[in-house]
Amino acid sequence: MTLKQDYTLIGAGIMSATLGVLLKQLMPDAKIAIYERLDKVAAESSDAWNNAGTGHSAFCELNYTPEKENGQIDISKALKISEQFEISKQFWAFLVKNGLVKTKVPFINDIDHMSFVFGEGNQNFLKNRYDALKAYPMFMDMKHSEDFSEIASWLPLMMEGRNTNEKIAATRMPIGTDVNFGSITRSMIAYLASCDGVKIHLGHQVEDIDKRDDGTWEIELTDLSKDQEKTIQSNFVFIGAGGGALKLLEKSDIPEGEGYGGFPVSGQFLKCNNPDVVLRHEAKVYGKAEEGSPPMSVPHLDTRMLNGERSLLFGPYAGFSTKFLKNGSFLDLPLSLDAHNIYPMISAGIQNISLTKYLIEQVMQSPEEKFEALVKYYPEAKFEDWELITAGQRVQIIKKDKEDGGKLQFGTEIVASKDKTLAALLGASPGASTAVSIMLNLLQKCYPEEIKSPEWKAKLSEMIPCFGRSLITDGVLCKKTREYSTAVLKLEDL
Ligand SMILES: Cc1cc2nc3c(=O)[nH]c(=O)nc-3n(C[C@H](O)[C@H](O)[C@H](O)COP(=O)(O)OP(=O)(O)OC[C@H]3O[C@@H](n4cnc5c(N)ncnc54)[C@H](O)[C@@H]3O)c2cc1C
């Protein structure tokens, strides 16, 4: 028998969980099924140990504010990401306030976000960045310093043993956050599982997606625990399979999915195992990526709050693996190559030789060489206090390009079918922090009429009070919005 449902969400990560909750809130009668190949929810990139847990708000991430050729700082991306994170916080506050998600310990914690740079050129860059951002309400609380003792009062661990003549600079935002994206995902899925008309199927791998003559989708699955094949029928499909999304998009055969390829980049972190050191650092401190290195390799020394326990992580160290998922297969990359994407993939490869070189160098580094990168940030670090852990797998988008043949992209992209019945999310950055805005964008693409209806607008404004308004220009709204989320999410200093 072929099961029939309205909405099929593939993958139980933060993206499907967010979309599922939005759909259920907007259409309480919707029949939704989530299919996840693993026997756990949020066990790939969304799991807390597989990502850096930074609530990306562009407070500290220097790659969101590139320097233009004329020396000016381009802050457009920073403004957008900062606003998007406020949208996520409002949505999570709605869930907490209404008892829809419950966690034993907070899934989001207040941790200062700081940027830290070395050398005169970078000091100038940071000051210009600070001046440009300060003009906007979202960044008005930012502090800047080039003073050794002031920075030492912010970051004692990073300043001990450092030459006092070293040229350094830092900025500090008091309202940064660390987020356990795994915890919020599991809570959202638990809420969905309690709703009428929603079914969560773990251990179910989607194998194929085909358009039927009646306009619906036929989805072939394997129930991995029973090694049994199943077929289901669905009106709408969201491919929220993280690194597995590209393969399924290709299987759907929608013309809009042609010309996309994926380039996997793995990540490792150094984790501190000395509790005394862990307690002596309280911030997420982002540095500047080395020349020629990809944006996701920006070094950062991070306080994490995972399940009520404090940790200290440094990294990430990029690596290369042909797997598209941490629990994937080494054949993922070769099997993703197809006639439609081989040329864009080769073209992007030729244009990004420096990236390939960088990744090879990172992979070849010994643990001692990796440790040297940490010492730049924490001069008195002891090798024996740190262990290397493997994080999640990111699949960067490679896209067909008229001029260059193919381009490597570092953001995320929603690819939707022309008839709006299927959408896939490709890419990984800024990722989980902006999941709510990404899923709102999906609704905009696939439900353009419904999202304009008074019913949807009212519900969306209830969930996200600033929906449709700008936090970038409206300082009063920004302040009010932050006060609301801070109070509901209990975002107080550790
Ligand atoms: C090293 C690293 C650091 C990061 N740091 C941050 C950060 O600091 N802040 C931030 O906001 N974001 C960060 N991200 C990005 C963030 O983790 C991701 O953007 C986000 O978790 C993606 O969620 P998702 O639901 O799309 O994917 P996932 O969480 O990967 O979920 C996809 C799910 O789909 C399942 N699946 C795959 N194929 C199939 C199939 N065929 N059938 C059924 N199920 C399938 C997978 O098993 C998986 O559970 C980081 C990512 C990495 C790798």
Side-chain angles (χ1 to χ4, degrees):
M1 192 188 74
T2 304
L3 267 171
K4 233 180 154 174
Q5 63 225 6
D6 300 340
Y7 303 92
T8 299
L9 314 181
I10 304 171
I14 194 161
M15 297 298 168
S16 290
T18 305
L19 182 62
V21 175
L22 284 169
L23 289 172
K24 202 62 194 164
Q25 288 293 316
L26 292 165
M27 297 175 287
D29 295 333
K31 288 198 168 40
I32 303 174
I34 298 184
Y35 291 95
E36 165 57 53
R37 68 192 280 268
L38 300 177
D39 55 8
K40 284 192 206 106
V41 168
E44 279 284 343
S45 290
S46 299
D47 181 71
W49 286 106
N50 286 341
N51 61 66
T54 304
H56 286 306
S57 315
F59 297 152
C60 57
E61 306 86 343
L62 302 178
N63 55 312
Y64 296 161
T65 49
E67 191 167 0
K68 294 195 265 191
E69 270 177 20
N70 63 5
Q72 279 184 349
I73 309 291
D74 180 357
I75 59 165
S76 51
K77 189 170 180 184
L79 294 174
K80 196 170 145 207
I81 290 172
S82 207
E83 185 178 49
Q84 289 181 338
F85 188 62
E86 293 300 332
I87 289 173
S88 290
K89 281 200 293 180
Q90 284 176 74
F91 178 70
W92 298 334
F94 167 81
L95 300 180
V96 169
K97 198 172 163 192
N98 292 283
L100 306 185
V101 302
K102 294 179 190 112
T103 53
K104 283 197 191 110
V105 291
F107 62 87
I108 178 165
N109 285 283
D110 180 308
I111 292 176
D112 287 7
H113 278 194
M114 303 195 200
S115 303
F116 183 82
V117 294
F118 318 87
E120 204 173 322
N122 287 331
Q123 277 181 324
N124 293 338
F125 163 78
L126 197 66
K127 177 71 171 70
N128 291 341
R129 177 186 193 266
Y130 165 76
D131 288 339
L133 290 175
K134 261 296 254 195
Y136 287 84
M138 284 189 297
F139 298 90
M140 62 187 279
D141 297 328
M142 189 178 272
K143 293 189 181 80
H144 170 266
S145 182
E146 292 180 3
D147 180 79
F148 196 95
S149 46
E150 186 173 27
I151 299 176
S153 72
W154 296 351
L155 299 166
L157 199 72
M158 287 174 57
M159 302 301 279
E160 283 165 12
R162 191 178 291 283
N163 183 339
T164 48
N165 293 325
E166 197 176 344
K167 287 202 172 301
I168 50 166
T171 54
R172 176 180 194 173
M173 265 304 267
I175 60 156
T177 52
D178 179 70
V179 187
N180 185 331
F181 294 112
S183 167
I184 178 70
T185 304
R186 283 185 277 275
S187 308
M188 285 194 282
I189 300 268
Y191 156 69
L192 284 169
S194 73
C195 294
D196 279 346
V198 181
K199 287 239 154 62
I200 316 292
H201 304 270
L202 299 182
H204 280 67
Q205 177 160 291
V206 174
E207 311 286 359
D208 204 358
I209 309 171
D210 284 311
K211 189 83 173 169
R212 289 164 46 99
D213 292 341
D214 65 2
T216 62
W217 292 95
E218 187 168 285
I219 303 168
E220 278 175 34
L221 305 140
T222 309
D223 178 343
L224 298 170
S225 64
K226 298 186 185 135
D227 198 17
Q228 201 177 67
E229 287 179 11
K230 287 181 184 173
T231 306
I232 57 154
Q233 207 181 315
S234 183
N235 293 329
F236 178 85
V237 181
F238 169 58
I239 307 176
L246 177 69
K247 191 161 105 188
L248 294 175
L249 176 65
E250 286 178 338
K251 295 221 165 175
S252 75
D253 284 329
I254 61 167
E256 294 77 9
E258 284 182 9
Y260 285 93
F263 183 79
V265 180
S266 54
Q268 287 181 320
F269 286 98
L270 279 175
K271 177 177 176 283
C272 183
N273 288 327
N274 181 337
D276 296 334
V277 174
V278 173
L279 286 178
R280 296 197 51 239
H281 180 83
E282 197 179 305
K284 277 180 175 272
V285 184
Y286 275 59
K288 206 158 180 245
E290 298 287 328
E291 207 65 36
S293 60
M296 78 293 258
S297 64
V298 173
H300 43 102
L301 185 63
D302 275 14
T303 300
R304 304 283 317 267
M305 281 301 291
L306 301 179
N307 306 322
E309 254 183 61
R310 194 158 151 167
S311 320
L312 184 60
L313 262 65
F314 179 77
Y317 299 92
F320 179 74
S321 151
T322 52
K323 286 185 184 183
F324 277 3
L325 290 160
K326 192 173 177 181
N327 299 286
S329 150
F330 287 111
L331 293 175
D332 286 343
L333 177 63
L335 290 180
S336 75
L337 297 175
D338 204 345
H340 70 89
N341 65 14
I342 192 96
Y343 179 58
M345 295 277 283
I346 292 170
S347 308
I350 292 168
Q351 289 160 54
N352 289 282
I353 298 284
S354 60
L355 171 65
T356 316
K357 193 172 152 269
Y358 171 83
L359 290 177
I360 292 170
E361 278 167 10
Q362 287 265 304
V363 173
M364 301 298 284
Q365 272 185 350
S366 64
E368 287 76 9
E369 283 168 326
K370 287 194 163 98
F371 181 70
E372 273 172 33
L374 167 66
V375 171
K376 272 186 89 178
Y377 286 83
Y378 170 22
E380 295 192 341
K382 291 196 175 64
F383 185 75
E384 61 273 19
D385 285 346
W386 298 79
E387 74 170 302
L388 207 54
I389 56 167
T390 302
Q393 196 73 0
R394 279 188 174 105
V395 179
Q396 308 301 147
I397 306 170
I398 290 180
K399 198 176 169 182
K400 191 161 64 183
D401 182 78
K402 270 194 195 132
E403 278 171 26
D404 298 325
K407 266 212 157 85
L408 182 66
Q409 280 185 190
F410 289 102
T412 49
E413 187 167 334
I414 299 234
V415 181
S417 64
K418 196 174 170 209
D419 67 1
K420 307 179 181 70
T421 58
L422 179 140
L425 178 70
L426 300 180
S429 190
S433 305
T434 54
V436 180
S437 299
I438 296 173
M439 290 303 113
L440 288 173
N441 181 16
L442 182 147
L443 292 178
Q444 187 86 50
K445 279 190 174 209
C446 297
Y447 298 93
E449 294 311 317
E450 290 84 344
I451 206 163
K452 281 190 255 164
S453 69
E455 296 78 19
W456 277 39
K457 272 186 171 169
K459 190 71 208 181
L460 286 167
S461 302
E462 186 193 336
M463 292 189 273
I464 303 154
C466 79
F467 179 71
R469 294 186 286 166
S470 170
L471 297 176
I472 297 174
T473 49
D474 191 336
V476 177
L477 181 66
C478 176
K479 188 166 178 282
K480 213 172 119 192
T481 301
R482 278 194 177 155
E483 281 170 1
Y484 161 78
S485 339
T486 300
V488 180
L489 297 172
K490 299 193 172 59
L491 291 174
E492 286 140 20
D493 270 342
L494 283 181

